[in-house]
Amino acid sequence: MKPVAKSLVAEEATDVSLRDQDLPFIGTEETYTTDELIEKIAFNDDHSNYLKRTGLTELGPGRIAAMDKAGINVQILSVHTPGVQNVPGQEGIDLAYRLNKTIANGPMATNPERFQAFATLPLQDPKASADELERAVREDGFVGAMTNGIIGKKFLDHADFEPVLARAEALDVPIYLHPGFPPHEVFEIYYQITRPEYKKSYQDYIFSGSGYGWHQEVLNGVFDRFPKLKIIIGHMGEGLPFFFERIVEDLGDVTEGSLKKPIGQYFNDNFWFTTSAFPQDNLLHLLLRHISVDRVMFATDYPFADMKQQTDWFRAVNLPREDKEKIAFRNAGKLFGITI
């Protein structure tokens, strides 16, 4: 009986995939950079050369061809981690403006039906960040902002960043909470690799970053202060689905007197989640076990992940067509005001 069951599952998945070949997609975490930014953020020459090989700087025909091959209608562009948020003073403010204008005057102007964008912000200056967010949204049509983990030694829930949160709430645009690298002191204690064969490359930063360390972030009580604030979390929830029941159970009692709602409620009231770079059925179903299908959006994390591999995966996911349309494009269309 086991071979028969496997055959039926495979046949059902194939049928679903064939049914959903016409499914359109909005990619909600699709990354870019510029040569100028690479020179500022690269750890060393190996890292710089890697970033230049990925296709991050390609925002024209090459990227559109990859989108067409995968069947992605729209990409929402966001700057590569950590953007400019660690660049201090006027230099950071000017660089954020240049990056945002590069996107507004480049791909968004040339191919407005294919590209939207999250603003990059000079978060070392929260007031300037709030102003640049408003300018980018009102003048250039950006759909929100991308942040990249801890800012200096403070998370986004620190009181210093309330001007940014307040402005996002007032503009009714979301903040995408992308992870980033830890402060130097944390890096040295938790993540530094001492094996000599790794010293010439940047494996420590894979360990402390996308490989393991950065999939955690904290927001402490901000949704009581900003009840309409919208936050997006990528990478199938950054481990949240795995910890969801423990978070709700362990933190529920201790926050009962300090938060206005049960802690689990905030995840369905203030958060959206994307599938970026995690094309795995079991993780998607785990996320949907805890989070409404109305709060999940498709993303690929291009160019660090293959767009077509992920659209092919999602077309074959065994979910009702209505739910798949919500995840593929309808939820993002509603959140960002995009019609396809």
Side-chain angles (χ1 to χ4, degrees), residues 57-280:
T57 60
E58 166 55 50
L59 291 165
R63 186 176 290 242
I64 289 176
M67 292 167 63
D68 290 343
K69 182 179 179 180
I72 291 182
N73 299 65
V74 179
Q75 277 195 344
I76 302 179
L77 300 170
S78 53
V79 73
H80 179 53
T81 308
V84 304
Q85 68 185 46
N86 295 327
V87 182
Q90 193 63 43
E91 182 185 7
I93 295 170
D94 292 344
L95 181 53
Y97 177 81
R98 286 201 302 277
L99 286 168
N100 291 333
K101 294 305 289 188
T102 293
I103 297 304
N105 295 335
M108 286 177 66
T110 306
N111 295 285
E113 75 286 357
R114 305 303 298 273
F115 293 114
Q116 298 288 333
F118 293 109
T120 186
L121 303 177
L123 287 166
Q124 295 291 330
D125 188 326
K127 174 61 167 60
S129 294
D131 292 343
E132 175 58 15
L133 174 59
E134 182 159 4
R135 187 210 63 75
V137 169
R138 295 195 184 279
E139 293 182 15
D140 292 332
F142 281 48
V143 296
M146 173 71 75
T147 67
N148 290 277
I150 195 165
I151 304 134
K153 298 180 181 180
K154 301 170 185 175
F155 286 107
L156 193 62
D157 66 337
H158 193 280
D160 286 357
F161 303 110
E162 290 201 351
V164 180
L165 305 182
R167 198 73 59 92
E169 184 184 50
L171 291 166
D172 194 29
V173 295
I175 295 176
Y176 201 123
L177 205 66
H178 190 279
F181 295 101
H184 180 70
E185 296 89 339
V186 175
F187 173 84
E188 285 193 324
I189 294 170
Y190 280 91
Y191 301 115
Q192 191 168 41
I193 296 174
T194 57
R195 291 177 62 177
E197 61 267 37
Y198 292 145
K199 280 295 185 181
K200 293 183 179 179
S201 193
Y202 57 96
Q203 282 89 342
D204 324 48
Y205 293 96
I206 298 297
F207 183 36
S208 66
S210 58
Y212 174 74
W214 70 6
H215 298 283
Q216 310 291 333
E217 184 118 2
V218 178
L219 286 174
N220 180 25
V222 298
F223 303 109
D224 288 342
R225 302 194 297 276
F226 306 103
K228 295 182 179 180
L229 182 64
K230 299 174 179 178
I231 295 291
I232 304 170
I233 299 179
H235 308 127
M236 210 68 87
E238 304 285 4
L240 176 64
F242 180 84
F243 284 102
F244 189 89
E245 292 185 13
R246 172 164 283 196
I247 290 170
V248 170
E249 181 178 343
D250 286 6
L251 295 182
D253 290 341
V254 298
T255 59
E256 187 174 357
S258 58
L259 297 177
K260 293 181 179 179
K261 300 178 186 178
I263 192 166
Q265 188 65 41
Y266 296 97
F267 293 114
N268 278 292
D269 289 351
N270 298 93
F271 286 82
W272 282 255
F273 301 83
T274 81
T275 66
S276 58
F278 281 77
Q280 300 173 46

